Amino acid sequence: MHERDSELHAARTAIRMLCGGDETDPGVGEILLYVGPPGLGKTALLTEVRRAATRDADCTVLFARGGEQQRHDPFRVVRQLLRPVLGTLREAERREVFGPWAEIVGPAVGLVPPAGQLDPQGVRDGLDFVVTQLARRRAPLVLMVDDLHWGDPESLGWLTSFSHHARELPVLMVLACRDEFPEEAGPLQDRAVRAGGRYDLRPLRPASITELVRSRLGHLAEEDFCREVWTVTGGNPYDTTVLLRQVLDRQLPPVGENTVHLRALAAEARGMTLKTWLDRLGPSTLQFAWAAAMLGTGIRPALAAAICAQGPSAAAQSVSELRAHRVLTDGTDGRLEFVHPLIATSVYQSMPAATRTAMHGVAATEIQNAGQGLLAASRHLLETLPDNDHETVAKLRGAAAEHLAIGAPEAAQRCLRRAMSEPPPDEQRAQVRYELGCSSLLTDPAATVNQLRLALDEKPGLSPELRVDATFRLAQALAHSNRLGEAAGVCREEALLTPSGRGRQRLEIAHFMFTAFQAREDDGPGRSRHLARFAQTLADSEPGMVSAVLALHCWDLTLRGRPAADALAIAERALENGRLPHGLGWTNTLWGFELPGILGISYLYADRTDRAEALFDEAVWAYRVAGWSGAHLGFAHFLMGLLRFRQGDLREAEDFLRRALRSAERIGPGIPLQWFAVGVLADTLLARGRTGEALELAEQYSFGPPYPTVMVLPDAPTLYGRLLLARGDLPGAAAALTEAGALLDARGWHNPVWAPWAGQLALATADLDPSRARELADQALRRAETTGTDSAVGSALRVCAALHDGAEAVELLEEAVRRLSRSPAACEHAFALVDLGTALSGAGRREEARRALEQGLELARRCGADGQVERARRALATV
């Protein structure tokens, strides 16, 4: 049996399974991973698999190969996989395949010019969509990547995330990699191992090497000679092939007495020093080979010739020589490829260091001259030595901007760090550091903090406008790192140093914003008074500033539990004809998503769910269009989940909140979005009657003290107390809710919807201290009446009713039902109806009880409150 038959059999079996379905029910793919040291035949194996997929099974094959010199070329593997098939689609089909992702995926695959800055997660999500559409139209699909260890990080990140989705599609992933697995693709290896799809290639046995030797040197090759070839090469097919070529070149007969020469020949073939290559190729041909090695794969002969300064005739002669020496071979579309990656590595490493550096500089220039742009040239600029060249700095900055525009911030950071070492002119140093800091804002807030602090300290410094923006971005990065106090502090300090005007106003508003978002503050009421006065002083400022401070003022009124009508009046002034003004848009970088978010939540807590829904729908749409599907879209999903929870649509609430939680998990543990999503999701599960799941979720994500420094939406300590109450831990719940109430009262935050700690504490202490419980319930009701919303008053009345009996309870619940029926809080309304039905039944008013219970059951069913449905059924059974 051929020694690779088992690996080939696995691939052919997978292809048969992939092709086993029909158009209505295609087969589902898997992942195959072939791993082994260099030269063991991974490329040859993939060639056989590719032939089986196209010739024997009529699959659509997407193929790519990593390149040692192109590992830092963002999305290079993705472009190899997708451009050949996407480029052949008719316009109508291309629009269907890209769907809404054309402006996001197009730049990454090189089909749409880059513009703006893309979220890397958005690009990955868009690629998932495009390949899913291709799989449905061109199934079965085989996605193959050779030399995965040399894949660019951006492509590897997408392949890793797509591998989870691919299990549900007619897609077979076939990958080949050295046993030096890249960190970015570690999960790919794990998944292949779990699925039994990893195959470790082993060296060939002596019999197979003997067969190979005799196929090249003739059947008379002696057994001792063949055995020594196996010993010298360790059974490595590539080393064996190279050694046999040396034997043929030296015309060495394959007999036992010549075995003494094999080890030296093998060492010479494996070493291939500069002298070896010069002796073999000559200087002119070797220079062309160097240029080709610098380009890596998919080598354009004319470009390689330009890099080594050879004219057409000399270049043609070099190519002919390199083909003859089995260094280069013909690829597709008139391009050249190295016969084996090990040859490319050997040629590249044979270059003297100074020559290599100089040729990289020439390559960068010639690539631009050929019209391939800064994206392609930048990897060569990174290999040049710093030379105080201002033009190089400008090119690297331009390349960084283009990398950001295709969703590759790490590549942008490499260019900007290299620009700093060039170095830039003194008057540009601060700005380059500013660009470097901003490039990592979405992916590495800690790096952003360091670079922006350095940018602000540079002399000469940033322009006044950029200095304000750098301070705001620094504060954002600190806030995203749970350092709200520092964020507020840097804004306050810089505002004191900034002349009056727009910049100073922006920093002062930012100081108010980050202070308000802290979990604790020393003088909440004082800040509220200062904010109200500040809002009045900005009345005649530009609209963007006015809307921002009005949004904060509205939020402050909401949290303080002031009349909802007052907060709504402020909110309407912050909008323009019911829509967000330009300076306050979801994707506007002047402020970020926090201000439109709190404006929408203010509407939500004021029972204007129509306004909130319009804003949150706009957020989802804006982030999808912009491709910001990381934290931004996750936050929009959280807002939609919170909205649906408040409306009583618990099924949709759970769906949106789980999406938000998945987004948070992709970014990293412990971020504010995770706290937001876990808290409201746990509350949703409680409302659905799935108490055990809610408690397990809270335990899984350590939802409880110590809390983050950022304020959690809604109030985290109150939610934690509610969870303890659901668990039956009344003392723990009472302690947590008492602490929550003390902190909130100290800040002057009395909104009973935002933090219903008083009502929950009343329930927790009802048995031990009924009098205190009623006082707390009455306090919650008074605060709800001050707010004035039907949902707040109705919920507070429900709590009061739980602490009374008989006619008084019925009266309170009747009023609760009346108020809640006018509110958007459908689930709370259902709970109140079931409470009322139960109370009426206890009072002997059976007909009224049945009517209330039936209404409550039906409404609870529509809301997805399964626990209340069962409770209503049990109550009906006794009426």
Side-chain angles (χ1 to χ4, degrees):
M1 174 184 285
H2 192 282
E3 289 196 42
R4 299 291 182 247
D5 280 354
S6 61
E7 290 87 354
L8 280 171
H9 176 72
R12 291 188 176 114
T13 300
I15 291 169
R16 280 197 302 272
M17 293 176 62
L18 185 71
C19 300
D22 54 35
E23 292 184 359
T24 60
D25 184 22
V28 175
E30 55 181 288
I31 181 170
L32 299 178
L33 175 64
Y34 298 111
V35 181
L40 282 194
K42 299 182 295 295
T43 296
L45 184 59
L46 256 64
T47 300
E48 290 298 317
V49 175
R50 188 175 183 181
R51 184 177 295 118
T54 53
R55 183 189 62 194
D56 302 337
D58 195 27
C59 296
T60 299
V61 175
L62 309 179
F63 180 81
R65 174 178 285 117
E68 184 176 17
Q69 302 308 318
Q70 294 144 307
R71 285 175 291 180
H72 297 311
D73 184 358
F75 295 110
R76 177 180 172 274
V77 166
V78 164
R79 290 196 298 276
Q80 288 184 84
L81 289 169
L82 297 181
R83 281 189 67 167
V85 63
L86 292 176
T88 63
L89 298 179
R90 295 186 300 275
E91 185 60 33
E93 188 177 10
R94 184 184 294 189
R95 282 197 300 270
E96 292 178 359
V97 168
F98 276 101
W101 297 93
E103 300 301 318
I104 297 158
V105 174
V109 297
L111 294 175
V112 174
Q117 181 172 346
L118 295 178
D119 178 0
Q121 186 58 53
V123 177
R124 288 192 288 269
D125 290 345
L127 287 168
D128 283 354
F129 179 90
V130 168
V131 176
T132 298
Q133 297 305 310
L134 280 178
R136 289 170 178 167
R137 288 166 171 78
R138 302 294 178 91
L141 206 64
V142 179
L143 190 154
M144 305 181 70
V145 181
D146 195 7
D147 290 332
L148 187 74
H149 49 279
W150 285 332
D152 60 276
E154 291 78 12
S155 295
L156 293 179
W158 170 68
L159 285 168
T160 298
S161 64
F162 178 72
S163 67
H164 300 283
H165 183 46
R167 290 175 293 185
E168 305 162 4
L169 297 170
V171 177
L172 171 64
M173 298 179 71
V174 185
L175 314 170
C177 183
R178 290 185 184 175
D179 45 9
E180 49 192 65
F181 222 83
E183 181 181 350
E184 296 89 350
L188 271 176
Q189 177 181 221
D190 296 340
R191 198 199 137 199
V193 170
R194 287 195 302 270
R198 171 174 170 144
Y199 295 87
D200 289 276
L201 304 188
R202 305 298 180 192
L204 299 181
R205 291 190 289 267
S208 296
I209 293 296
T210 297
E211 182 181 340
L212 181 57
V213 171
R214 287 173 175 166
S215 70
R216 298 292 177 88
L217 304 183
H219 69 281
L220 296 179
E222 293 183 0
E223 185 65 31
D224 288 349
F225 187 91
C226 295
R227 183 77 184 191
E228 185 64 13
V229 169
W230 177 81
T231 300
V232 166
T233 63
N236 185 295
Y238 172 77
D239 287 347
T240 301
T241 300
V242 173
L243 174 58
L244 295 180
R245 193 176 303 128
Q246 292 280 78
V247 170
L248 286 170
D249 289 346
R250 301 295 177 88
Q251 298 183 351
L252 193 70
V255 296
E257 65 189 57
N258 286 327
T259 57
V260 295
H261 304 295
L262 290 178
R263 194 168 296 279
L265 288 176
E268 181 182 333
R270 194 178 299 117
M272 295 303 286
T273 62
L274 172 59
K275 182 179 184 307
T276 308
W277 280 114
L278 267 173
D279 292 345
R280 185 174 175 185
L281 301 176
S284 179
T285 301
L286 180 56
Q287 284 185 344
F288 190 97
W290 284 346
M294 195 158 287
L295 293 174
T297 62
I299 303 155
R300 300 173 187 265
L303 182 56
I307 292 171
C308 64
Q310 291 187 7
S313 177
Q317 180 62 34
S318 294
V319 171
S320 178
E321 289 287 330
L322 291 167
R323 286 194 186 105
H325 284 89
R326 291 187 54 76
V327 174
L328 293 178
T329 188
D330 293 325
T332 58
D333 299 327
R335 303 190 184 195
L336 299 170
E337 300 287 351
F338 279 90
V339 169
H340 195 280
L342 287 172
I343 298 176
T345 300
S346 176
V347 169
Y348 185 80
Q349 291 178 349
S350 74
M351 298 173 69
T355 302
R356 183 186 308 133
T357 300
M359 286 191 77
H360 273 299
V362 174
T365 300
E366 293 300 335
I367 285 171
Q368 280 193 275
N369 292 341
Q372 294 187 38
L374 287 171
L375 282 176
S378 62
R379 71 178 178 88
H380 296 284
L381 289 172
L382 294 174
E383 299 297 332
T384 60
L385 294 177
D387 195 30
N388 199 29
D389 183 75
H390 298 173
E391 184 179 353
T392 297
V393 172
K395 288 180 178 180
L396 287 163
R397 291 174 69 186
E402 293 191 23
H403 286 314
L404 290 171
I406 65 171
E410 288 84 1
Q413 290 151 35
R414 286 194 294 271
C415 290
L416 291 168
R417 282 193 293 267
R418 174 63 184 80
M420 286 300 300
S421 68
E422 185 62 18
D426 289 344
E427 65 273 14
Q428 293 181 13
R429 284 184 62 84
Q431 188 165 347
V432 176
R433 281 209 186 276
Y434 162 80
E435 292 167 6
L436 179 55
C438 291
S439 69
S440 58
L441 183 59
L442 291 176
T443 56
D444 190 353
T448 294
V449 168
N450 294 335
Q451 291 300 329
L452 290 180
R453 285 195 189 279
L454 289 171
L456 289 166
D457 289 341
E458 285 279 0
K459 303 295 181 187
L462 297 165
S463 67
E465 184 178 350
L466 274 186
R467 186 170 183 86
V468 168
D469 196 67
T471 303
F472 184 78
R473 302 295 166 215
L474 171 60
Q476 279 188 311
L478 288 167
H480 295 168
S481 304
N482 283 334
R483 296 157 69 181
L484 267 294
E486 291 180 67
V490 297
C491 291
R492 182 186 63 251
E493 292 165 10
E494 189 65 29
L496 294 174
L497 302 174
T498 304
S500 298
R502 183 178 187 273
R504 180 167 184 164
Q505 289 174 354
R506 186 183 180 195
L507 292 174
E508 288 174 330
I509 294 169
H511 166 65
F512 279 117
M513 179 174 74
F514 292 120
T515 302
F517 291 162
Q518 293 180 84
R520 298 169 181 257
E521 67 176 310
D522 295 333
D523 185 14
R527 178 187 53 79
S528 294
R529 291 190 295 272
H530 188 189
L531 176 61
R533 291 194 298 269
F534 185 69
Q536 292 176 345
T537 66
L538 259 64
D540 297 325
S541 298
E542 67 173 79
M545 298 297 160
V546 172
S547 293
V549 78
L550 287 175
L552 284 170
H553 189 27
C554 171
W555 179 239
D556 186 63
L557 291 176
T558 298
L559 293 180
R560 286 166 55 202
R562 304 309 300 158
D566 294 348
L568 288 172
I570 299 292
E572 290 298 305
R573 288 172 55 198
L575 299 179
E576 290 179 356
N577 299 318
R579 297 183 62 83
L580 289 171
H582 173 70
L584 213 62
W586 290 103
T587 57
N588 187 283
T589 56
L590 181 66
W591 296 113
F593 57 70
E594 291 89 352
L595 292 184
I598 60 174
L599 194 60
I601 297 173
S602 296
Y603 275 117
L604 182 59
Y605 288 156
D607 280 1
R608 286 298 306 273
T609 55
D610 57 329
R611 283 285 207 218
E613 184 159 6
L615 288 173
F616 299 163
D617 273 339
E618 183 183 342
V620 173
W621 177 84
Y623 292 144
R624 283 177 175 165
V625 168
W628 295 6
S629 56
H632 292 83
L633 186 59
F635 182 63
H637 285 154
F638 161 75
L639 292 174
M640 288 299 297
L642 180 62
L643 169 73
R644 295 294 184 244
F645 173 70
R646 291 286 304 150
Q647 290 175 320
D649 188 344
L650 301 182
R651 297 182 188 88
E652 275 207 18
E654 182 178 348
D655 180 61
F656 275 119
L657 293 166
R658 290 196 185 279
R659 284 195 240 173
L661 184 54
R662 285 195 295 271
S663 294
E665 288 174 330
R666 290 190 303 197
I667 298 166
I671 64 171
L673 178 59
Q674 179 177 296
W675 281 86
F676 299 170
V678 169
V680 182
L681 179 56
D683 219 2
T684 301
L685 293 171
L686 289 176
R688 299 202 68 180
R690 289 151 55 185
T691 303
E693 284 184 55
L695 297 175
E696 288 174 11
L697 177 78
E699 184 175 354
Q700 178 184 349
Y701 290 96
S702 302
F703 189 89
Y707 303 106
T709 61
V710 63
M711 175 181 64
V712 177
L713 306 170
D715 182 60
T718 301
L719 280 173
Y720 178 65
R722 176 163 161 71
L723 288 166
L724 293 176
L725 186 60
R727 184 186 292 161
D729 180 2
L730 299 184
L737 291 164
T738 299
E739 181 181 0
L743 289 172
L744 292 167
D745 279 354
R747 297 188 77 168
W749 288 359
H750 303 311
N751 189 306
V753 180
W754 158 260
W757 66 269
Q760 296 296 305
L761 182 56
L763 297 175
T765 58
D767 292 338
L768 292 175
D769 191 348
S771 177
R772 170 65 175 150
R774 289 195 181 101
E775 288 177 7
L776 288 164
D778 289 342
Q779 174 186 310
L781 180 57
R782 288 193 301 274
R783 289 180 173 180
E785 288 171 338
T786 299
T787 300
T789 62
D790 286 318
S791 65
V793 174
S795 296
L797 286 166
R798 269 194 69 221
V799 173
C800 289
L803 303 173
H804 293 81
D805 297 313
E808 192 171 359
V810 169
E811 183 179 347
L812 288 166
L813 286 169
E814 286 176 333
E815 179 60 14
V817 167
R818 188 183 71 82
R819 297 297 293 263
L820 289 167
S821 68
R822 302 188 320 208
S823 82
C827 188
E828 191 73 7
H829 184 202
F831 287 13
L833 282 166
V834 176
D835 289 348
L836 176 59
T838 304
L840 288 168
S841 177
R845 296 161 62 177
R846 301 169 63 86
E847 191 59 37
E848 294 172 84
R850 176 171 290 278
R851 190 160 52 247
L853 288 168
E854 287 175 345
Q855 291 174 1
L857 186 152
E858 176 57 25
L859 186 54
R861 185 191 61 78
R862 292 204 303 267
C863 291
D866 302 327
Q868 285 297 307
V869 170
E870 290 305 312
R871 179 177 169 231
R873 283 176 176 157
R874 289 194 300 270
L876 278 168
T878 64
V879 175

